[in-house]
Amino acid sequence: DVKVTQSSRYLVKRTGEKVFLECVQDMDHENMFWYRQDPGLGLRLIYFSYDVKMKEKGDIPEGYSVSREKKERFSLILESASTNQTSMYLCASSHGGAGNTIYFGEGSWLTVV
Amino acid sequence: TQLLEQSPQFLSIQEGENLTVYCNSSSVFSSLQWYRQEPGEGPVLLVTVVTGGEVKKLKRLTFQFGDARKDSSLHITAAQPGDTGLYLCAGSASFNTDKLIFGTGTRLQVFP
C-alpha cells in the first residue's frame, strides 16, 4: 500500500522558532511537494522537488525553505515561524509526468503562538 | 497566474438528492483531477481527465472535462452520507509537470 508519512500531526510552536516538518514516501517517487491548506484558499504550493537536491519555488515560498537529501525524504523548514504560518501543511509525492496520481500525507497541523 | 474557481463553496443536501460542483478557469489545462478530502486526512484522487469533452463515471459520480479544457464538473447522483467531504479540483499547467493548481474547494454535507 502506498504511503506518504508526515512525522508530526500536530505541533504548537512559538513565534521565531525554527520548525522542521518531515515527510517520507515509500513509493520511489521522483516528485515531492509541500502545500499549505487554509479555509477558502484551497491548497497552495510552497515548494516542490523533481529529484534529489533539486527544488523549485511554488506559489508561496516566502518564509519557507526545503531540503531533499534523499529521494524518499522531503523536509519543509520554517526558519523563523510567524503566526501567519499557522496552517495545515500537506506533503505529497508522485511519479514524473502530468496526470499521474499524486499521493498526499495526512497533514501536519501547525499552530504558531 | 492560473486560477481555478469552484462553486458552490458549500453544499448541504439530503440523502438521495443530486448535485453538481463546478470548476472554472480562464486558462487551459493539460489535465484536470478531482480529489476528495475527509476531515483529518489528506486529499485522495478520484479521477483524472485529459481530453477536452471527456466524461468519466465512477459509480454515482460523473466527471466532465470541458471541450476547451478550461472547466470541469462533478455530478453526484443520489448522494449518500458517505459522500460528505471537501471536493477539490486541480489542474495541471503543462504536459511535463505534476505541478498542480488547486481550486478553492466545495464542502459537501449529505444528511441522512
Side-chain angles (χ1 to χ4, degrees):
Chain A
D1 204 14
V2 298
K3 202 155 181 68
V4 177
T5 303
Q6 295 182 229
S7 57
S8 303
R9 291 299 309 271
Y10 302 96
L11 305 93
V12 179
K13 298 292 182 180
R14 293 191 182 278
T15 300
E17 276 193 76
K18 191 169 186 176
V19 181
F20 292 88
L21 298 179
E22 305 287 348
C23 175
V24 177
Q25 50 97 2
D26 63 1
M27 297 163 281
D28 200 36
H29 283 163
E30 295 82 12
N31 303 333
M32 295 190 76
F33 309 85
W34 275 106
Y35 290 88
R36 65 176 282 177
Q37 184 174 26
D38 301 287
L41 297 177
L43 275 71
R44 293 179 292 167
L45 183 63
I46 304 171
Y47 268 97
F48 59 103
S49 169
Y50 289 138
D51 202 350
V52 175
K53 296 189 187 294
M54 181 275 180
K55 59 186 179 185
E56 287 193 27
K57 293 180 179 179
D59 299 316
I60 52 164
E62 296 78 19
Y64 303 94
S65 63
V66 290
S67 172
R68 193 164 181 204
E69 297 295 318
K70 293 184 177 181
K71 190 175 185 179
E72 66 271 19
R73 187 179 297 270
F74 193 35
S75 303
L76 180 68
I77 304 154
L78 287 67
E79 293 289 340
S80 178
S82 63
T83 54
N84 62 14
Q85 292 178 310
T86 291
S87 187
M88 159 106 117
Y89 290 88
L90 285 161
C91 175
S93 73
S94 71
H95 279 304
N100 285 325
T101 300
I102 292 182
Y103 297 89
F104 283 87
E106 293 181 320
S108 298
W109 288 93
L110 172 66
T111 301
V112 183
V113 297
Chain B
T1 303
Q2 292 177 296
L3 294 173
L4 273 169
E5 295 190 4
Q6 284 185 240
S7 61
Q9 192 174 356
F10 299 98
L11 199 51
S12 292
I13 60 172
Q14 292 294 128
E15 182 176 1
E17 291 185 32
N18 301 333
L19 66 112
T20 302
V21 177
Y22 298 94
C23 176
N24 295 297
S25 175
S26 58
S27 303
V28 174
F29 292 97
S30 62
S31 65
L32 199 135
Q33 299 181 329
W34 284 93
Y35 291 80
R36 183 170 73 202
Q37 184 179 19
E38 300 188 18
E41 305 289 333
V44 175
L45 180 67
L46 295 173
V47 77
T48 301
V49 285
V50 297
T51 305
E54 182 177 2
V55 177
K56 279 193 175 179
K57 291 193 174 184
L58 188 66
K59 295 184 181 178
R60 292 176 294 101
L61 279 60
T62 302
F63 304 86
Q64 184 163 8
F65 200 12
D67 290 341
R69 304 207 315 275
K70 294 182 178 181
D71 55 87
S72 181
S73 64
L74 157 61
H75 182 79
I76 301 179
T77 303
Q80 298 177 2
D83 296 325
T84 293
L86 179 67
Y87 289 82
L88 295 159
C89 64
S92 181
S94 83
F95 288 102
N96 297 318
T97 179
D98 277 338
K99 183 181 173 184
L100 291 176
I101 296 160
F102 278 84
T104 48
T106 295
R107 191 165 295 280
L108 172 65
Q109 177 81 53
V110 182
F111 293 97

